[in-house]
Amino acid sequence: MVHLSRHLCPLRAPIQRTEGLAAHLGKNSELMKKILWIGILFFATHLQAQDLTKVKLNGLITGTLDEVLEGFAKQYDLTIEYNQKKVKDINIVIRPFDKSLDKVLAEMLRKEDLKYYQTEDGVIRVVHIDAYIDEKALQSTTIYQGQHQKENIKVSGRIIDQTTGESLPFVNAYVEGTAVGTTSNVDGYFTLLEVPTDTNTISFSYIGFKTLQIQLTPDVELEGIVISMVPSSANLDEIVVTGERNELLRASESVSKLKLTPAKLAALPSLGERDIFRTFQLMPGISAANEHTSGLYVRGGTPDQALTLYDGFTVYNVDHLFGFFSAFNANSIKDVQLYKGAFEAKYGGRLSSVVEITGKEGNNRKFNLGGDLSLLSANVFLEVPISEKWTTIASARRSWKSPIYNLIFDRFSGAGEDDNPLAERFGSTVASYFYDLNFKSTWRPNEKNIFAFSFYNGRDNLDNSIRPELPSFAQDLDLGIEITDLTEWGNTGSSLKWSHRWSDQFYMNSLVSFSNYFSDRDRSVQGSFQNSNGETQEINRGTFENSDLVDYSAKTDFEWQSHQNNQVEFGLYYTYNDIAYTYAENDTTSILDRQTDGATYGLYLQNKLGLFNNRLQLVGGLRSSFFEETQQWYWEPRLNFSLRLTPQLKLKGAAGIYYQFAKRVIREDVLQGSRDFWVLADDDRLPVSSSTQYVLGTSYETNDWLFDVEAYYKQLDGLSEYSLRFTPSFNQINYEESFFVGTGVAQGIDFLLQKKYGQWNGWIGYTIGEVRNNFDVFGENDFYAANDVTHEFKFVNLYKWRRWEFSATWIFASGRPYTAPESGYQVELLDGSTANYLSVSSKNNLRLPNYHRLDIAATYTFKNKLGSLSFSVFNLYNRQNIWYKTFEVVDNEVIETDVNYLGLTPNVTLSMKLR
Amino acid sequence: MKKYKITLYLLVGLFALSCEKESLTLPTNTADLPVVEAYLAVGQQAVVTVKKQAIIANEIDSSDQNNLSISGLQIEILNNGNSFSLIESSTGTYKGDSTFIIQANQEYLLSFEYNGNVVRAQTITPSKPTNFKASRNTIKFETSSFPPSFPDPISLTWDDNTNERFYQISIQNIESNPQLLDFGGASEDRPQRPTPPEQMNTYELRARDFVYRGTHRVVLFSVNPEYVSFTQTSTDASAQSINEPYTNIVNGLGIFTGVGADTLFVEATD
């Protein structure tokens, strides 16, 4: 095995950053620059390396830094590269006395947070002091110029993160100047078949890492190589003239697919900690106007229609603290991929989108410890390499009763506005919190096998109960009324994975997993009191909601790279769900008590094919599932394509049929706000949901800019809603009959304009869309779904300045529809008395005001790069956005209350790690 | 380069066109629907009132109900192929003429146009209850005894062999100046509510059914299931949840129902 680790100057390095060098040569034309850069890569070896130690300096040297560098270059016949813009304002005064040039340069630059290095061909490069320079790479940059010896060869290996030894999934690898390319699999393995010669250059690119180019040479082994990639750390200065690409999100690779670097999240404003789900919500097509859930509303879909996989197990709820934070700790996440729609046959069981999260394996070289502390929670992670082949990582996070936690809790639990006399007299004495834990252990006994065990547990306890604190003398008295307002939920998930590489071309991933989600809600009044006759009466009134969901799954996925441009993937899966839900009023009246269990199993087959020199990529697949409850097979054909018309311009499209067996049902509550619960579809009142989707789009991408537009259309069937508004007559209420079935349509266009790199970067996202539903019970016409947002606009700005990174995001979304009691009437009854009737508006006929807010953040990275300090302000101009409205009917009056989202909320986060 | 840009613009334009928003035909909002109140009593003239709803500012019943009446409607009732036009007798109240008397066991169809929609309803009238009798005509309260003793109930009976029809009983004091029955300070003035509609053919009038001294009118209503549903879905003065009010009116709200009634009188004394 050969350890290749090289860091070359890429052909496509941004030309404007070479001003210094170009100026030095006195040729400033575009052509010259291009020649120059090609030259560095291929013809630059003839330059003699200057020995800087032999040049001695004496006397006074003064001027701006660019003048001084230019002077050195002319006087000693050097080639010095630097960013002229950045150095022209730096004034230098030095008085060296018989000092060698290397020392003078180093000292002079260090004062300005800069340093230099000399390449093999003698070029001196001035870079930011934090810039990572791969010494080994520098020593081996000799370009092989001999003849190739073999043709049509196979290159295979594994891609890792150089700093931690973690394998890197989904890295793009392609042979430069050809159409040969591939993507590493989830465990970092890649195989390139049909590489034209053994002197080709292979380029590896991965979001959050510097693009790496490896030139093959005949004497290098081609199979089983390990490619080490270097992270592009957040605060590298743009002076660095390497292939650094400092992206946070990548949106252009294939149809409706987004990639995200957890490591780079810190730069964006956040309420608490870095949050992958909140970041996705800044992209077009994913609604950001839902502070109350971290779940993803993707292209008119609801969060339950988004499949969330964490190390292979399904996560059924992604919320912490009323949904303001996602349940995932960014410190334990390596890679996240999001499919906004029309996803591949490999994934199933959901209608709208897929989020696949791969957890970190942990550093396999050195022990590491780190954490974050914010005004909301504390977070710690620990990486313990047991051996080179066995790594473990654990992370834990817990909220603390900080001002921000209290603010959010009080706002949304209603504690702040509670005018309950008991609360005023005795106060609320109970505590609320959330926590989560992640643990992963990965064992690679050899290059063919990987065993990984991953465990997640998270829980929220939101308690707003009132327990009277009686004075001690009264403690013996058996009286008192307790008001309980307790919401608890949590997830536990675990997976055990075995990956086996049968050959370079045939890979297998087998997994068994477990997932549980529970949610309990108790809003009640209990206690006892003495009635006027002196008898003690017990009361227990209120609403009780309990839900419990269990998922046992097993699956095996195979990847077979049959030809360079053809990959076959197939697999089998089995899932057993057991879902229970009860909803009761007043302790005894059970309104709904459901428990359904059943298995879903099936198989899929898909083929990825590259045609016309890989200009056209086609993925066709078929998924087939058998659902026990309905005793039926469901067939799901999927197809997606991407056609590269020019290097910049791409056309893409997809279509598919999707089924969902475990789903969330909205329980409509006009007065208190609707909620939802999970159920397993059955053959009766809760049909299997389905959707048919079409996506068509195009993207135009240059080095620095991306313009992407995608139009989507989704037809939805078998949607469910639960409402007690339509109780059947004659007192014979069968609550099971209150499930209603409907259909829907979601359509829209997502626009994205992204400036990918540079000191200032960011994007503008805009979506125009609509979601319509049609449920017979709500009338024969369509109505707008609760998650319908007509216009949604996002403006994300990131600006780097020295060690600081500033960001500002502005979000605007049209108001969402809602239903409310809107009018009333009185009717005289037969006996002459009158009855009052409150009539609720047509379903979702009203709209909340538009949602908008501005968030800002500033992050300072410490000099040693092992920590950062972030300041952020959420909702800077304190916009009062409305979450939902509640209504109370008191003495024939309807009292309307707005439940608002968070106002201006500042936060500070300190992050530290050992290495 | 230019060529590609043009292609791009074309593509974007194409998407914009292909996804042009169809405007959604929303139903008439519930708040704009008219409220119909019509009890077709067997043996009597038809009376239909129509009004607008009060838009909730704060109180449901704060608006002057008269201002809500809908005037100028062309209301027709159809029975057995005959169409009867109603005449607006006062604002928002429409009456059939004296020749149009509601018959038992007949289908009646209501229709009129409002806000561009045809408001429709249908009902089948029940028969008048037969053989409505009381076991006694007087109920005597011993208000001076302590503890007060309660009189035996009066049995009300009527004929119904089907056991399927719904009946409702309303008891009303018809004295011009009613006096409370005096139970030595424990008496209270409370509204006399009708019984909830039930499937029954007998009812016992008990002490609790009386609040005042004097003559009481006891009415037995034979009501349709739609009326039962309608009364069950009224909104409580202080509601925890909301029911969709029942209605049998298409493109409207309220009730259009046939009813049969018989009356007798009972004397309460002490």
Side-chain angles (χ1 to χ4, degrees), chain B:
Chain B
M1 198 61 188
K2 203 173 173 185
K3 194 173 76 188
Y4 301 133
K5 277 193 178 156
I6 291 168
T7 319
L8 188 72
Y9 295 141
L10 279 175
L11 281 168
V12 174
L14 196 72
F15 291 137
L17 280 176
S18 65
C19 265
E20 194 182 331
K21 285 186 74 149
E22 296 166 38
S23 59
L24 176 64
T25 42
L26 286 168
T28 312
N29 191 25
T30 318
D32 301 327
L33 297 174
V35 181
V36 174
E37 178 188 310
Y39 301 109
L40 301 185
V42 175
Q44 296 185 21
Q45 286 167 261
V47 181
V48 175
T49 68
V50 187
K51 59 189 173 189
K52 293 180 198 162
Q53 297 177 67
I55 301 301
I56 293 170
N58 267 323
E59 266 180 78
I60 305 171
D61 53 358
S62 64
S63 314
D64 183 354
Q65 295 288 315
N66 292 328
N67 288 343
L68 298 171
S69 300
I70 301 173
S71 182
L73 297 172
Q74 303 290 321
I75 300 183
E76 302 221 323
I77 290 180
L78 208 74
N79 165 243
N80 257 338
N82 301 317
S83 172
F84 301 91
S85 294
L86 306 192
I87 297 146
E88 190 167 0
S89 60
S90 62
T91 311
T93 302
Y94 301 82
K95 263 189 178 161
D97 66 27
S98 54
T99 61
F100 175 37
I101 301 295
I102 302 299
Q103 307 295 315
N105 303 313
Q106 291 282 313
E107 186 190 43
Y108 290 92
L109 302 164
L110 171 88
S111 93
F112 63 90
E113 208 182 294
Y114 179 68
N115 267 353
N117 290 319
V118 178
V119 181
R120 301 188 309 270
Q122 176 265 352
T123 189
I124 294 171
T125 48
S127 347
K128 277 185 86 153
T130 51
N131 253 335
F132 181 40
K133 283 186 300 199
S135 60
R136 297 200 308 280
N137 286 330
T138 330
I139 187 159
K140 188 165 168 39
F141 292 86
E142 302 284 338
T143 51
S144 52
S145 67
F146 187 82
S149 67
F150 293 107
D152 291 336
I154 298 174
S155 286
L156 301 175
T157 54
W158 60 93
D159 289 350
D160 184 2
N161 307 321
T162 63
N163 279 332
E164 281 172 5
R165 294 212 50 83
F166 287 85
Y167 294 93
Q168 185 174 28
I169 287 165
S170 114
I171 305 126
Q172 271 173 319
N173 187 292
I174 54 168
E175 300 291 331
S176 54
N177 187 17
Q179 301 292 309
L180 282 172
L181 287 161
D182 185 1
F183 293 101
S187 51
E188 49 172 342
D189 191 357
R190 56 191 157 87
Q192 287 185 298
R193 293 252 174 237
T195 64
E198 264 180 71
Q199 286 161 315
M200 56 186 182
N201 57 14
T202 174
Y203 183 79
E204 302 216 313
L205 282 178
R206 292 171 182 277
R208 61 158 191 257
D209 293 316
F210 298 89
V211 181
Y212 305 103
R213 294 192 192 108
T215 311
H216 287 76
R217 180 168 57 208
V218 180
V219 186
L220 172 68
F221 294 105
S222 170
V223 297
N224 285 340
E226 67 242 12
Y227 180 72
V228 182
S229 301
F230 182 66
T231 55
Q232 278 177 357
T233 56
S234 69
T235 312
D236 296 340
S238 297
Q240 291 299 305
S241 62
I242 269 190
N243 279 328
E244 195 66 9
Y246 174 86
T247 183
N248 65 337
I249 316 286
V250 179
N251 290 326
L253 295 167
I255 185 75
F256 175 73
T257 186
V259 60
D262 203 352
T263 308
L264 52 78
F265 296 90
V266 171
E267 199 75 17
T269 59
D270 58 356

Side-chain angles (χ1 to χ4, degrees), chain A residues 170 172 183 249-260 280 283 299 335-341 344 347 354 608 652 708 710:
Chain A
F170 315 117
N172 283 334
T183 306
L249 266 159
R250 184 169 291 176
S252 60
E253 272 168 18
S254 62
V255 64
S256 301
K257 191 171 166 182
L258 295 176
K259 279 186 175 190
L260 191 143
F280 276 135
M283 295 304 282
R299 290 179 173 169
D335 180 89
V336 191
Q337 313 244 348
L338 169 76
Y339 298 84
K340 286 201 281 184
E344 301 166 2
Y347 304 103
V354 175
K608 290 184 183 175
K652 48 195 178 168
D708 189 274
E710 280 189 16

Side-chain angles (χ1 to χ4, degrees), chain A residues 312-610:
Chain A
F313 62 81
T314 306
V315 182
Y316 286 84
N317 180 294
V318 299
D319 291 343
H320 266 324
L321 188 61
F322 301 101
F324 282 86
F325 306 93
S326 76
F328 303 109
N329 187 337
N331 280 339
S332 59
I333 294 170
K334 178 160 65 177
D335 180 89
V336 191
Q337 313 244 348
L338 169 76
Y339 298 84
K340 286 201 281 184
F343 46 88
E344 301 166 2
K346 191 176 163 184
Y347 304 103
R350 292 292 185 277
L351 296 187
S352 152
S353 52
V354 175
V355 184
E356 184 164 23
I357 303 168
T358 310
K360 273 186 191 164
E361 292 164 10
N363 198 316
N364 74 350
R365 292 169 192 162
K366 284 172 179 166
F367 168 85
N368 196 8
L369 174 71
D372 311 277
L373 183 66
S374 76
L375 293 183
L376 182 89
S377 61
N379 186 346
V380 60
F381 71 89
L382 183 68
E383 293 174 77
V384 184
I386 294 166
S387 74
E388 179 89 359
K389 290 174 176 173
W390 190 4
T391 59
T392 53
I393 178 168
S395 60
R397 173 163 77 149
R398 195 186 195 283
S399 63
W400 53 289
K401 274 252 161 192
S402 63
I404 293 190
Y405 186 95
N406 289 341
L407 178 79
I408 298 170
F409 183 78
D410 290 350
R411 169 64 63 91
F412 298 105
S413 62
E417 62 212 38
D418 207 334
D419 51 3
N420 189 299
L422 275 175
E424 279 172 21
R425 267 176 71 189
F426 304 110
S428 183
T429 60
V430 287
S432 301
Y433 59 88
F434 69 76
Y435 75 78
D436 55 55
L437 304 166
N438 285 84
F439 174 80
K440 191 170 178 179
S441 190
T442 310
W443 181 48
R444 295 169 185 270
N446 48 49
E447 274 299 312
K448 291 233 177 272
N449 291 294
I450 307 171
F451 296 91
F453 171 76
S454 177
F455 175 80
Y456 169 80
N457 176 239
R459 190 183 173 100
D460 274 72
N461 180 302
L462 300 174
D463 199 339
N464 192 34
S465 304
I466 295 160
R467 307 270 148 74
E469 283 173 17
L470 293 174
S472 56
F473 63 85
Q475 298 233 321
D476 295 338
L477 294 175
D478 182 23
L479 67 102
I481 292 186
E482 289 185 354
I483 297 168
T484 305
D485 182 355
L486 174 66
T487 310
E488 280 184 288
W489 71 87
N491 283 297
T492 306
S494 183
S495 68
L496 181 64
K497 190 179 88 162
W498 171 43
S499 304
H500 182 75
R501 203 155 58 104
W502 297 92
S503 76
D504 284 341
Q505 282 149 269
F506 196 64
Y507 198 81
M508 180 196 76
N509 236 316
S510 286
L511 181 120
V512 285
S513 70
F514 163 80
S515 180
N516 169 249
Y517 163 63
F518 78 92
S519 165
D520 296 322
R521 191 170 152 85
D522 176 348
R523 299 188 66 156
S524 62
V525 179
Q526 323 70 21
S528 55
F529 63 93
Q530 291 191 331
N531 65 14
S532 51
N533 297 337
E535 297 155 347
T536 304
Q537 284 197 328
E538 296 283 330
I539 52 163
N540 194 0
R541 280 206 307 259
T543 56
F544 305 86
E545 236 179 319
N546 301 87
S547 86
D548 193 33
L549 184 155
V550 180
D551 171 320
Y552 298 96
S553 292
K555 63 180 174 188
T556 301
D557 299 317
F558 298 94
E559 296 165 7
W560 175 45
Q561 194 161 5
S562 62
H563 301 90
Q564 174 47 43
N565 292 326
N566 195 64
Q567 178 161 320
V568 183
E569 293 179 33
F570 57 97
L572 307 159
Y573 76 94
Y574 173 92
T575 296
Y576 171 81
N577 276 124
D578 186 348
I579 304 177
Y581 175 75
T582 58
Y583 178 59
E585 272 177 6
N586 303 336
D587 209 14
T588 44
T589 322
S590 170
I591 289 181
L592 207 55
D593 187 357
R594 284 183 62 89
Q595 186 275 323
T596 334
D597 63 305
T600 317
Y601 49 86
L603 53 142
Y604 71 88
L605 172 68
Q606 68 182 38
N607 191 46
K608 290 184 183 175
L609 175 66

Side-chain angles (χ1 to χ4, degrees), chain A residues 46-248:
Chain A
H46 71 277
L47 288 172
Q48 283 293 312
Q50 274 279 357
D51 191 349
L52 303 179
T53 55
K54 288 185 181 154
V55 179
K56 299 289 180 191
L57 297 181
N58 280 297
L60 176 71
I61 299 173
T62 175
T64 58
L65 183 54
D66 61 332
E67 288 166 355
V68 172
L69 292 174
E70 197 116 333
F72 289 157
K74 277 187 182 151
Q75 199 167 346
Y76 306 109
D77 194 21
L78 299 168
T79 306
I80 306 180
E81 291 178 17
Y82 55 91
N83 185 322
Q84 197 171 30
K85 267 189 210 161
K86 298 213 170 173
V87 301
K88 67 175 188 213
D89 296 331
I90 299 173
N91 287 308
I92 299 290
V93 183
I94 45 170
R95 290 184 181 80
F97 177 70
D98 201 29
K99 243 183 194 170
S100 61
L101 179 54
D102 61 328
K103 282 189 180 148
V104 171
L105 265 179
E107 280 170 19
M108 177 178 85
L109 293 172
R110 194 182 306 129
K111 280 186 197 150
E112 306 303 330
D113 275 355
L114 297 167
K115 67 181 177 186
Y116 79 96
Y117 67 90
Q118 203 167 12
T119 63
E120 189 80 352
D121 46 26
V123 176
I124 292 168
R125 289 189 182 148
V126 175
V127 297
H128 190 267
I129 199 153
D130 290 334
Y132 182 85
I133 300 156
D134 187 341
E135 303 296 339
K136 267 190 275 176
L138 290 174
Q139 287 154 18
S140 60
T141 45
T142 319
I143 305 297
Y144 182 81
Q145 290 186 306
Q147 283 294 311
H148 64 259
Q149 293 175 7
K150 280 175 274 179
E151 288 183 1
N152 205 6
I153 52 169
K154 179 168 86 174
V155 178
S156 68
R158 189 157 69 90
I159 304 163
I160 61 165
D161 176 340
Q162 194 187 52
T163 51
T164 63
E166 291 245 6
S167 60
L168 295 178
F170 315 117
V171 175
N172 283 334
Y174 81 99
V175 182
E176 295 198 346
T178 73
V180 177
T182 189
T183 306
S184 68
N185 74 9
V186 72
D187 294 310
Y189 289 102
F190 75 97
T191 301
L192 285 160
L193 299 170
E194 298 170 32
V195 176
T197 71
D198 55 7
T199 56
N200 276 102
T201 299
I202 304 173
S203 166
F204 297 89
S205 60
Y206 183 58
I207 180 165
F209 283 75
K210 295 179 188 173
T211 298
L212 177 68
Q213 281 153 316
I214 302 284
Q215 198 206 6
L216 303 175
T217 55
D219 54 340
V220 161
E221 259 183 70
L222 300 169
E223 292 181 26
I225 56 178
V226 174
I227 305 292
S228 308
M229 292 184 75
V230 182
S232 54
S233 59
N235 285 64
L236 283 187
D237 203 284
E238 286 302 311
I239 293 178
V240 180
V241 194
T242 60
E244 185 206 339
R245 286 310 202 196
N246 217 349
E247 272 178 289
L248 170 66

